[in-house]
Amino acid sequence: MDAGWMSIIPFLIVMPVAIYTKQVLPGLLLGLLVGSYIVSPSFVGGMQAMLAYVVQALIDENNIKIIVFLYAFSGLTGMIKFCGGIKGFVEAASEKITSKKEALFLTYISTIGTFSAPTFRFVTIAPIMKALLKKVKMSTKELGFVIETTSTPIIVLLPVATAFVGYMVSVVQISVQTKEGAGEPYDLFLQSIPFNFFAIVIILLGIYLSFFHHSRSNAPTQIEDGGEEDEEDWHNCHPAVSKELPTKPWNLVVPIALVISLTLFLTWWDGRGGGRSLTEAFIEADVMEAMVVALLITTLLSILFFLVQKFKLKDLISSFIVGGNELMSVVVLLSVVWGLSSVTEELGFSGFVTAHSGWIPELFITPLMFVFGAAVSYFIGSAWGTWGILMPLGVSLSAVADVSLPLIIGAVFASGSFGAFASPLSDDTNTIARILNLTVIDYAHYKLKPALLAAGISTVLYTAASFFF
């Protein structure tokens, strides 16, 4: 089918529906459904086309690897929680921290072992800081802000062993698969990391507020229940640190160390042939496959490690499945994103954008893409949803204006990062507010000002970068 205006109808449906419902999936599903009926305009034909697009996406080898990675990663996290790894880490750390500087240093240094996912960071660091809130003399909102700047903004910049990597590579892959000479998706993701300006700027702001800015308040802000918390209250802030769980910090340290070291080793191993140097081996390797294999090996070794400690195999399997199922909503989201990308490409989306976007000055394409994406992500509260919706548009605009592909990919990732950090609808905002007993709207309002400051600086940086890339 020739490129035409109908190719943008699915996107014109997705964004307003997502913003109105404050959920990403209904908009994506409706956009996929409408696009499928445009391709096959009959009562049964549209449904059959939608099913075909989703099934085709799910049987793709690379997509299957991503799904396995996400499920296994979440399953491994579930076992770590059940075996007391997170609770043990929190207990051990909270006993040794006696000052604000030590607590803040721990917040940053612990990123090394807990960078796999934002929620993983929150349930390991927030309870420690909550238990020490009276000692560290920070406002609760400031504490939440500092913790968040060491979570999603750092995680989106890491190229291995996080729950985000698979998804981020996937949305790049589906966006460039019809673009000849675009390059390998993982390589493009790596090249885009320095251009995620929002993540970088908000991290720097977090460091400034942590170590160089003096809070006007020397006491915790009023929390929702308004009462005094006893020292053990933090055990009730999240199931992962419940009093009923065992206290075994090594059950966190060992699996995390294994998955990181195995990922690095297997990545080198996959790309080592032909006398390549260490750097060349990492560039040439199939990183996604290395990460999946490393994760599967880590899962098996972790099960053996837990069995030696007398945990029951039945309980380990159950906790793995419960943990993995927590990401099934993400797998569904991915499937619909993949299907939507396929249907819009068949309708000629790239050709339409190429034909009708030449009037936009090249200098403004990347900053406008970031600002537009930031607005969308703020109103839907989902970084992953924003990336899935906007990455195909960003890649197509890059081809039209001859703008650096890594630059515009970085801008799309940055726009989603803004929503994950600043939106009152985001999982990050709601999780940290729940753990710290903050009112969600008040907390989101508190961090909106620095988030907008970082977004403004990022927009200027994208404008400046457009001169050179």
Side-chain angles (χ1 to χ4, degrees), residues 56 70 121 123 132 134 192 242 259-260 407 428 435 458 465:
Q56 189 61 41
L70 291 172
R121 286 279 298 141
V123 299
L132 300 168
K134 294 178 182 179
S192 75
S242 171
V259 74
I260 295 172
L407 175 62
D428 289 9
I435 292 175
S458 300

Side-chain angles (χ1 to χ4, degrees), residues 26-62:
L28 289 170
L29 276 170
L30 189 58
L32 173 59
L33 182 63
V34 170
S36 299
Y37 271 102
I38 294 174
V39 171
S40 184
S42 68
F43 179 73
V44 176
M47 285 293 180
Q48 290 176 329
M50 184 173 73
L51 178 62
Y53 286 122
V54 173
V55 170
Q56 189 61 41
L58 289 174
I59 63 176
D60 180 85
E61 180 181 354
N62 288 325

